[in-house]
Amino acid sequence: MEKEGNRRLRVVLVPGPFQGHLNPMLQLGSILHSNGFSITVVHTQYNSPNPSSHPDFSFLALPDSSSIFTGESFIPFALQLNVNCKAPFQECLAQVMRQQGLDDGIACVIYDEIMYFSEAAAKDLKLPSIVLRTGCAALSLAGHAIFQLKAEGHIPFPESRSKDPILDLYPLRFKDLPIMEKLENFMQLLSKVANIRTSSAIIYNTIDCLENSSMAKIQQQCQVPIFPIGPMHRIASATSSSLLEEDTSCLAWLDKQSFNTVIYVSLGSSAFMDVKELVEMAWGLVNSQQPFLWVVRPGLVPGAEWNDILPQSFKENIGKRGYIVKWAPQKEVLAHDAVGGFLSHCGWNSTLESICEGVPMICRPCYGDQGVNARYVSHIWRVGLEYENKFERGEIERAIRRLMVDDEGKKMRKRGKDLKERVELCTREGGSSNNSLIELIKMIMSF
Ligand code: UDP
């Protein structure tokens, strides 16, 4: 993007070091790059993105100041990361500013909400900053409500109240709130993430036709402009930012399956199962009699070797009806004609990707924001069924047949196709996401 004469504007992006955070930030980078901006990505060494997938971007690694995330203590990790990264990031920004000179000035810093140290560093260098919220808008409202519920003494809530509805937050119940780990640590992180301090705007990877009323409520609470520009994976050029290697052989297997028959199963990049749950899932899939494509990520069962965890009798039983990969090219899988349903943990990226392809879901949230997303999928957009039970083979088999075979699933599939069309309209010229993107670009240009 040229501001005056030949001056090209650079945007510095600071993604969160997790798959579900890297994807939307790098998609945003592609969108801004195709609109003429230069892109620098400043990242941690832990879970660092692959520069060769984004040859047009510059990448800078922060000195390895973060402890390694073990998968069990997300909140202490995130809090420590923010303490450790501020000074090195500020040094990094100052270095970029010195190198760029006048030809390529930094227009602004866009940071993932969990990398809130970026705001302070940008402010010290008198650079504007913008927050990217990688979850849905309803999640922000839920986060806001948690402060009030805690002040009123409703949190922590007893098990007996877990299914109680929360006033003004339909369809959410107490158990759907994104409360994690130790309450004190969680509240500390939540307050840091919710407070945008001096940042000039908030970007959401969401879509007006999905979250119109949540967006309106957030805009009422918030002094800065909000830009819902999703679904970013659809607007960005199709590059992969997978941290694990995608096994594309499953696409050839899908080519051999009939239209809308395959159930795709994935719990995303960070949910875990124990061996018993995995075995129940395996037999539920076999017994459903539907073809299935299952992502069994290395580490899905902590401490277990990938080859050992699936029972031998299961491997012998699946024949040509099932296909297992360590990591799938998920967007292509969901776009494949053979895929008729998605058993998902309902991470926000997976949810958006499924909605964009009109694929109905079995929603089986594990933690964090997934409960909020699952409730919206099943109760507001009604393109998925809620799976609230433990992983048990009979329950899994029944849920798959409800989605893939029964009338209930056919109706969801029909609603899914309608929703897909509405989402597509939002991304076209004159559509809400397109308009928001134009406004966002104008704002960055005006800094
Ligand atoms: N994903 C993928 N291959 C897989 C499983 C997941 O490419 O086998 C991608 C998926 O398309 C999504 C991201 O990983 O973009 C997961 O993000 P999400 O927010 O759904 O869940 P998280 O991993 O953060 O829990």
Side-chain angles (χ1 to χ4, degrees):
M1 181 61 63
E2 291 177 6
K3 194 168 183 184
E4 300 140 14
N6 288 328
R7 195 165 162 233
R8 197 176 156 85
L9 288 178
R10 180 166 295 274
V11 175
V12 173
L13 304 180
V14 189
F18 300 100
Q19 188 71 74
H21 291 251
L22 280 170
N23 288 3
M25 185 61 91
L26 293 172
Q27 287 153 7
L28 177 62
S30 297
I31 295 170
L32 293 176
H33 186 266
S34 65
N35 279 281
F37 292 94
S38 302
I39 302 295
T40 295
V41 178
V42 180
H43 59 86
T44 57
Q45 287 180 18
Y46 171 67
N47 271 348
S48 62
N50 180 358
S52 65
S53 305
H54 304 274
D56 297 322
F57 300 176
S58 308
F59 286 85
L60 285 173
L62 290 168
D64 211 353
S65 47
S66 54
S67 50
I68 296 297
F69 178 53
T70 60
E72 280 159 19
S73 51
F74 169 74
I75 293 180
F77 170 80
L79 289 168
Q80 194 57 47
L81 186 71
N82 276 279
V83 172
N84 292 351
C85 284
K86 191 198 158 204
F89 177 59
Q90 194 160 338
E91 177 46 39
C92 201
L93 268 185
Q95 188 192 326
V96 176
M97 287 167 90
R98 281 195 298 274
Q99 280 168 0
Q100 305 310 152
L102 288 176
D103 293 340
D104 189 357
I106 298 178
C108 70
V109 172
I110 302 182
Y111 64 96
D112 186 308
E113 61 183 349
I114 63 168
M115 308 294 270
Y116 51 83
F117 67 84
S118 314
E119 178 272 343
K123 185 175 142 228
D124 284 354
L125 292 169
K126 301 199 169 34
L127 287 171
S129 66
I130 297 178
V131 190
L132 169 66
R133 298 223 191 274
T134 57
C136 64
L139 176 69
S140 298
L141 291 178
H144 198 261
I146 287 172
F147 292 112
Q148 200 181 331
L149 291 166
K150 173 126 187 343
E152 291 167 0
H154 298 296
I155 288 179
F157 58 87
E159 182 56 30
S160 60
R161 293 200 65 191
S162 68
K163 289 198 175 182
D164 285 3
I166 304 171
L167 207 62
D168 293 336
L169 228 54
Y170 179 82
L172 302 186
R173 306 156 301 177
F174 279 92
K175 67 179 277 201
D176 305 314
L177 291 172
I179 299 172
M180 289 165 73
E181 298 178 34
K182 289 196 185 110
L183 190 58
E184 234 170 76
N185 278 352
F186 169 75
M187 295 303 294
Q188 193 189 344
L189 183 64
L190 188 63
S191 70
K192 303 258 191 210
V193 165
N195 181 359
I196 65 160
R197 287 159 290 260
T198 63
S199 293
S200 308
I202 305 174
I203 301 171
Y204 272 94
N205 186 19
T206 192
I207 312 150
D208 194 60
C209 69
L210 293 181
E211 295 212 86
N212 177 290
S213 70
S214 296
M215 291 303 308
K217 282 186 197 153
I218 292 173
Q219 189 63 85
Q220 273 171 12
Q221 294 168 0
C222 182
Q223 310 299 316
V224 300
I226 296 177
F227 300 105
I229 60 166
M232 295 203 287
H233 73 280
R234 267 307 170 86
I235 301 166
S237 54
T239 44
S240 162
S241 37
S242 275
L243 293 165
L244 296 173
E245 193 183 340
E246 294 173 351
D247 183 345
T248 52
S249 66
C250 59
L251 298 172
W253 178 82
L254 285 174
D255 288 343
K256 295 190 204 113
Q257 311 304 316
S258 309
F259 179 66
N260 266 353
T261 55
V262 175
I263 177 91
Y264 170 60
V265 184
S266 166
L267 299 185
S269 63
S270 59
F272 300 110
M273 298 176 108
D274 61 31
V275 177
K276 187 166 178 288
E277 291 174 322
L278 185 99
V279 169
E280 290 301 308
M281 174 72 89
W283 288 115
L285 289 170
V286 166
N287 297 344
S288 76
Q289 305 285 324
Q290 289 295 129
F292 63 88
L293 169 59
W294 185 13
V295 178
V296 180
R297 196 186 77 234
L300 176 64
V301 176
E305 280 299 318
W306 194 82
N307 281 335
D308 299 343
I309 51 180
L310 291 167
Q312 191 55 32
S313 50
F314 162 76
K315 290 189 211 158
E316 283 157 12
N317 244 287
I318 58 175
K320 292 187 177 146
R321 199 151 38 76
Y323 204 83
I324 298 170
V325 291
K326 291 181 177 169
W327 193 248
Q330 181 165 301
K331 293 192 285 292
E332 288 160 81
V333 164
L334 289 168
H336 198 289
D337 276 353
V339 174
F342 183 10
L343 196 169
S344 173
H345 71 310
C346 288
W348 183 238
N349 295 286
S350 295
T351 301
L352 277 182
E353 288 158 13
S354 207
I355 287 175
C356 285
E357 299 303 340
V359 175
M361 280 170 262
I362 297 171
C363 306
R364 196 351 182 127
C366 299
Y367 73 97
D369 65 332
Q370 298 154 16
V372 172
N373 305 336
R375 286 295 277 184
Y376 272 75
V377 169
S378 55
H379 284 71
I380 303 289
W381 308 315
R382 296 169 63 228
V383 292
L385 57 91
E386 199 169 25
Y387 183 104
E388 292 202 274
N389 298 320
K390 293 204 169 107
F391 289 113
E392 189 278 318
R393 63 188 74 188
E395 297 283 355
I396 295 167
E397 177 190 341
R398 272 188 291 284
I400 294 175
R401 295 198 66 79
R402 273 172 69 194
L403 188 77
M404 303 301 287
V405 183
D406 294 355
D407 268 359
E408 191 185 0
K410 288 189 185 124
K411 286 183 189 148
M412 278 180 206
R413 196 158 293 112
K414 166 81 182 63
R415 282 195 290 273
K417 298 292 169 213
D418 294 344
L419 191 55
K420 171 186 165 149
E421 280 169 25
R422 281 167 44 214
V423 166
E424 265 169 21
L425 285 179
C426 293
T427 62
R428 298 215 188 118
E429 205 179 323
S432 59
S433 291
N434 194 263
N435 289 343
S436 280
L437 179 60
I438 293 170
E439 291 306 314
L440 170 66
I441 289 170
K442 274 193 208 155
M443 177 181 236
I444 300 175
M445 294 287 292
S446 73
F447 285 141

